[in-house]
Amino acid sequence: MRIAIVGSGYVGLVTGACLADLGHEVILVDNDQAKLASLQRGEVPIHENFLPELLARHRGGRLRLSGDLAASARESEAVFIAVGTPPTEQGDADLSYVESVARDISGSISSYTLVIEKSTVPVYTSNWIRKVMLRNGAKAGMFDVASNPEFLREGTAVTDFLYPDRIVVGSDTEPSSAVLREIYEPLTSGRYYREPHAIPRPEGAREQFPVLVVTSTKSAELIKHASNAFLAMKISFINAVSSVCETVGADVKQVCQGIGLDSRIGPRFLNPGIGYGGSCFPKDLLAFRSVARECGMDFRLLDEVIRINEEQRHRFLRKVRSALWTLRGKRLAVLGLAFKGGTDDIRESPAIFLVQALVQEGSQIVAYDPAAMPRAKEVLPAAVEYATDPYEAAQGVDALLILTEWEEFAQLDLPRLAGAMKYPIVVDGRNLYDGPAMTEHGFTYYSVGRATAVPEDHATPVASNVPGIQPSVEMPQAHSHGQPSLQERKA
Ligand code: UGA
């Protein structure tokens, strides 16, 4: 099928490359000439597994680049809108880019064309796109508007696209669902997976071919917002539970295992940490809350999800203080700046927030991230130093903080790390290690929702000066974060 994708950002680029790999003829349209030129030269603007090879495979063949929206729409049977929908000051989505695309393609529709929302948009957007197109001269009957939300995670977006749990198609007419069925047929029939060049199935992906869930356009729009809100709620829920674990001296990892094995709940998105970030959850929660408000509903559950998420960063900061007593003048290694592992994206990254807060408190930061350092340098204070690997970052530091769940941070050479540091103190915001393994190598190990692990010969009384963290006695591998356990307090 001949397909135009408007917007060559993260969603558009991945969608375009993957649709070309499925065998479609794709034109990627953008009004940013510099971006088009860089893509044309073979540069890949985002850090995404398999994307460079898909772009190299199809660029100039089944994947063309263009700055001419009207001409691209004219020669396409389907037009995906994948432009940005940034939040406004009030938190709702700014749909002016979507509107301008709808306006610009109205005059180019000369045979039946399906316009598909791919960007995350509030419910009713498809109605608005339709109205704008009719107002600008598109003929009713010559086009339909459908919603096909994406569920791609950064870092694994290509395999998420090609091996999805489900494909949601929101369409209100038979011709529009037929077009979307045809677009995804190589996946739903399994044909793509038999091709020798197919991107390999990632570990953990479903064996079955993906199903197409056909809904109304409004339902599809809501599915996207509700999915992201639910996942964010799961994270905030487990973060709140982890705080209870710290207070009573329980282990959140064991609690997660116990609840995650219930098939109604499931183990995924139950990793506690320093809170969710990124360009999606924070923005989508605000937008969903706004949509609910406009419909007259005060969706307070979302307020609480957001509040717990913000509190989680502050709680971590208090934990660093409780580990180090004072922060001024302390040299701290920071592993991880991206909002999660596997990406160079630092948007709404809790790690960036924490580095800024620590610098403000007078700490000296030496950071390392496998991919996000160039972007982080643009926003972090000039005083932050950067290392070329975790061991260089750890050289002579008072403590090391783990802020992003990069796989390589879970496989550090612990004796080498301990040897590099001035004091072997690790404050892990992502729970990448277990206490006993850390104390064995001489580390005092703070994590989230679990007891602070202290090597036997280091178990000394410590007084905390941190509000909300009580003075306590650190016990070898048996204590919550600077807080006496409930049993101990009762005793
Ligand atoms: C998220 C959704 O997972 C995708 O399905 C969706 O398509 C995308 O938003 C979007 O709307 O475009 P993404 O933002 O790439 O994808 O990242 P996630 O993997 O969902 O992680 C989001 C944040 O939650 C990260 O900061 C991560 O560290 C944190 N997280 C995730 C946790 O703290 N705990 C967990 O158990 C899982």
Side-chain angles (χ1 to χ4, degrees), residues 10-11 48 118 120 149-157 160 166 224 227-228 231-232 234-236 238-239 267-284 309 338-341 343 345 347-350 403-405 429-430:
Y10 162 76
V11 172
E48 197 60 57
K118 197 70 177 158
T120 302
E150 52 82 20
F151 303 102
L152 314 176
R153 290 161 302 169
E154 287 188 31
T156 54
D160 284 346
R166 81 299 203 190
K224 171 66 192 201
S227 296
N228 274 3
L231 291 170
K234 239 181 143 180
I235 298 170
S236 278
I238 204 63
N239 279 334
R268 295 171 73 190
F269 276 70
L270 276 187
N271 296 321
I274 51 176
Y276 61 78
S279 65
C280 303
F281 286 176
K283 164 174 88 83
D284 290 353
N309 196 54
F339 81 96
K340 66 169 191 177
T343 175
D345 197 339
R347 285 176 288 176
E348 300 288 329
S349 170
L403 302 186
T404 306
E405 67 275 42
R430 301 293 190 164

Side-chain angles (χ1 to χ4, degrees), residues 354-371:
L354 285 165
V355 170
Q356 283 165 334
L358 289 164
V359 169
Q360 206 151 38
E361 298 217 18
S363 298
Q364 239 183 310
I365 303 292
V366 49
Y368 171 71
D369 187 289

Side-chain angles (χ1 to χ4, degrees), residues 263-338:
S263 58
R264 293 169 302 174
I265 299 174
R268 295 171 73 190
F269 276 70
L270 276 187
N271 296 321
I274 51 176
Y276 61 78
S279 65
C280 303
F281 286 176
K283 164 174 88 83
D284 290 353
L285 259 88
L286 293 177
F288 196 27
R289 190 174 65 174
S290 281
V291 168
R293 260 188 209 145
E294 270 173 39
C295 305
M297 189 208 161
D298 193 5
F299 204 158
R300 275 190 241 164
L301 178 61
L302 300 184
D303 293 338
E304 197 52 22
V305 170
I306 295 166
R307 192 197 63 77
I308 293 170
N309 196 54
E310 281 165 7
E311 166 59 16
Q312 203 62 11
R313 303 167 175 198
H314 293 285
R315 198 177 169 85
F316 185 81
L317 205 53
R318 293 201 293 273
K319 198 168 289 173
V320 177
R321 279 196 213 108
S322 87
L324 295 174
W325 188 22
T326 62
L327 290 175
R328 185 159 301 283
K330 295 269 162 72
R331 186 169 172 82
L332 306 176
V334 161
L335 297 190
L337 297 166

